[in-house]
Amino acid sequence: IQKIRFLTPKRMMVILMIISNVLYFTMGTFAIPTAGLIVLFILTNSLYSCGMSFTTTIGMDYINQGHKLNFLFARGMGSFSYAICAFFMGQFIERYHAGILPYAFAVSQILVCVVLLFMKDTHVKNSVREEEESSGFLMILKENPVIRMFALAFTLSFMANTIVTTYMVNVVY
């Protein structure tokens, strides 16, 4: 991200959220074959899972700029908000149908993007270690077979977890 001036953690998070929103909305709106749904589901969850890393990065950048940030309180409020939203979404689905999920997801993502766009960009000076020329992601994977195997194993385990979780939801439902 640091090599491209336009990309900040905040902007990267907004871009990922827009892409995951389009993918999720596509899954919930159009009739797509099962194989396509599985691919879209894995892509959507992979992109959406990156959000926590960028949220933490934004928080750390604010702390490095001297702003006070209480992670414990923020995580607690996030869990509380999740519980409230889960309750109300359960009520809406019970009253209407599960077809409202893509729209609810879209609205929530738009609200988060609006909040992110109003936040100040973080500008943290790079440490001496970070200012040295570093290899790109693909170059690191090409030069390090151990890291390449870990990345492949992590990707496959994430895919397996996603597929099993989806299967279990369908079995239980």
Side-chain angles (χ1 to χ4, degrees):
I1 291 177
Q2 293 176 353
K3 292 184 179 185
I4 303 172
R5 287 189 183 260
F6 168 75
L7 286 181
T8 62
K10 182 182 85 167
R11 289 181 183 151
M12 190 65 193
M13 188 170 170
V14 169
I15 290 168
L16 289 175
M17 291 175 83
I18 290 169
I19 294 170
S20 67
N21 199 5
V22 168
L23 291 174
Y24 190 77
F25 198 75
T26 300
M27 282 189 309
T29 307
F30 301 107
I32 299 173
T34 304
L37 280 176
I38 291 171
V39 170
L40 286 176
F41 187 78
I42 291 170
L43 283 172
T44 303
N45 281 340
S46 298
L47 291 174
Y48 194 69
S49 295
C50 295
M52 183 56 78
S53 300
F54 283 109
T55 303
T56 303
T57 301
I58 292 168
M60 289 298 163
D61 286 349
Y62 276 123
I63 289 173
N64 289 338
Q65 287 181 344
H67 298 285
K68 185 174 168 78
L69 184 64
N70 186 339
F71 268 107
L72 179 64
F73 180 73
R75 294 293 300 253
M77 289 306 295
S79 296
F80 180 72
S81 299
Y82 178 82
I84 297 295
C85 288
F87 173 77
F88 284 114
M89 283 309 300
Q91 297 299 315
F92 283 128
I93 291 171
E94 184 73 26
R95 175 173 275 171
Y96 302 107
H97 54 83
I100 66 169
L101 285 174
Y103 302 102
F105 185 78
V107 169
S108 68
Q109 293 301 298
I110 290 168
L111 291 174
V112 171
C113 286
V114 168
V115 168
L116 283 170
L117 291 174
F118 280 104
M119 291 173 64
K120 290 192 296 187
D121 278 329
T122 55
H123 301 287
V124 178
K125 294 172 87 178
N126 294 339
S127 66
V128 174
R129 181 180 229 182
E130 291 174 347
E131 288 178 0
E132 297 172 2
E133 187 62 32
S134 63
S135 300
F137 176 72
L138 294 177
M139 189 62 105
I140 291 171
L141 287 178
K142 183 178 177 183
E143 294 173 355
N144 299 299
V146 174
I147 293 176
R148 187 172 49 235
M149 294 310 288
F150 273 120
L152 178 63
F154 180 77
T155 302
L156 291 175
S157 67
F158 184 77
M159 287 173 51
N161 178 40
T162 302
I163 291 168
V164 167
T165 304
T166 305
Y167 176 72
M168 291 304 291
V169 167
N170 287 330
V171 167
V172 171
Y173 184 69

